[in-house]
């Protein structure tokens, strides 16, 4: 008869192993979906194609993501996390501890150049397909609203730190941050004009500073 502690440890190990396999499977599906959507387009990409690329069943994708719109959401959420073990939004919040408006804007601009290559292409894909797909149209509105809410929260932090030009209000600060970090700006400067990321990041920072500071 097995000792109770040994039984619990084995169950914990098996549970952790299943969780790791599930995470790996999910990551494979998201990567496959991102590759196919960006290569072939949203309409032409099928759940069956994603499943074949990821080496899972179609049923697994429907259970885990609900369908194509759910896959797009997962790609978007992965992109927002940025690179590395700490989520980009957490790193953005930590920058507020700098207590200096200029340094905070510089930090946000660097994060924008990190996240944009991961998020902007899928965001632009959604906007392009939203006119013919009601689920994507809803997701497009949600993504815009989510980013505006985030930028409004950042604007409050920036105003609290101070150092902005006199008379500027919360909405204007939020709108400047929202516009300067937009996927459309990334598309124009990086994807169309071929700017390197360091130049794009510097432009985002200088645009925010010129619009918000004396």
């Amino acid at each position: 008869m097995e000792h109770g502690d040994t039984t619990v440890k084995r169950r914990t190990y098996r549970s952790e192993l299943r969780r790791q396999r599930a995470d790996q499977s999910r990551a494979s599906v998201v990567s496959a979906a991102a590759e196919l959507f960006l290569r072939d387009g949203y309409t032409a990409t099928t759940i069956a194609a994603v499943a074949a690329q990821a080496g899972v069943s179609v049923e697994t994708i429907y259970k885990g993501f609900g369908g194509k719109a759910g896959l797009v959401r997962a790609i978007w959420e992965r992109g927002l996390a940025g690179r590395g073990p700490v989520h980009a939004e957490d790193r953005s919040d930590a920058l507020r501890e700098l207590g200096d408006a200029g340094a905070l804007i510089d930090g946000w601009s660097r994060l924008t150049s990190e996240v944009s290559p991961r998020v902007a292409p899928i965001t632009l894909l959604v906007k392009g397909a939203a006119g013919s797909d009601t689920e994507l149209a809803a997701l497009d509105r949600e993504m815009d609203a989510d980013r505006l809410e985030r930028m409004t929260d950042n604007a409050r932090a920036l105003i609290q730190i101070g150092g902005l030009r006199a008379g500027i209000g919360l909405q204007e600060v939020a709108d400047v941050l929202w516009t300067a970090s937009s996927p459309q700006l990334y598309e124009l400067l990086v994807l169309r004009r071929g700017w390197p990321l360091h130049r794009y990041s510097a432009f985002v920072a200088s645009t925010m500073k010129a619009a918000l500071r004396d």
Side-chain angles (χ1 to χ4, degrees):
M1 182 174 182
E2 292 183 329
H3 191 276
D5 289 345
T6 303
T7 302
V8 170
K9 288 179 181 178
R10 287 180 178 176
R11 287 175 180 170
T12 301
Y13 171 77
R14 290 168 184 165
S15 177
E16 178 65 18
L17 188 60
R18 284 195 297 269
R19 186 193 64 79
Q20 289 177 358
R21 287 174 177 170
D23 289 346
Q24 291 170 356
S25 175
R26 182 178 179 84
S28 296
V29 170
V30 173
S31 294
E35 179 182 343
L36 294 178
F37 282 143
L38 296 177
R39 188 190 71 192
D40 302 333
Y42 182 81
T43 302
T45 299
T46 65
I47 293 292
V50 175
Q53 179 90 343
V56 302
S57 68
V58 168
E59 182 182 10
T60 295
I61 294 181
Y62 278 114
K63 283 184 176 180
F65 300 90
K68 289 168 67 172
L71 286 171
V72 171
R73 180 190 295 277
I75 298 166
W76 171 57
E77 290 174 347
R78 182 186 67 172
L80 289 175
R83 299 189 301 269
V86 180
H87 198 290
E89 288 189 354
D90 293 332
R91 284 182 280 145
S92 174
D93 291 342
L95 289 171
R96 299 174 186 180
E97 301 302 320
L98 295 172
D100 177 84
L104 183 55
I105 289 172
D106 288 337
W108 282 341
S109 299
R110 287 192 294 272
L111 281 176
T112 297
S113 69
E114 175 189 328
V115 171
S116 289
R118 301 163 63 90
V119 172
I122 199 68
T123 303
L124 295 168
L125 178 81
V126 169
K127 291 186 178 301
S132 58
D133 188 289
T134 56
E135 282 189 292
L136 278 195
L139 182 58
D140 182 35
R141 292 190 296 270
E142 179 186 340
M143 292 163 74
D144 273 348
D146 180 85
R147 200 166 63 80
L148 181 57
E149 181 180 359
R150 179 68 184 172
M151 292 304 109
T152 302
D153 189 42
N154 285 346
R156 289 192 185 94
L158 200 56
I159 290 172
Q160 185 174 9
I161 289 173
L164 305 185
R165 62 179 171 81
I168 192 168
L170 176 64
Q171 181 175 336
E172 185 176 352
V173 177
D175 286 347
V176 168
L177 299 180
W178 190 67
T179 301
S181 63
S182 67
Q184 291 89 342
L185 183 62
Y186 175 84
E187 179 189 25
L188 287 173
L189 296 181
V190 179
L191 299 183
R192 294 194 184 186
R193 299 302 303 155
W195 281 27
L197 285 176
H198 68 85
R199 185 181 177 191
Y200 164 70
S201 177
F203 180 82
V204 170
S206 62
T207 298
M208 290 179 179
K209 290 176 181 177
L212 299 177
R213 309 188 74 187
D214 289 327

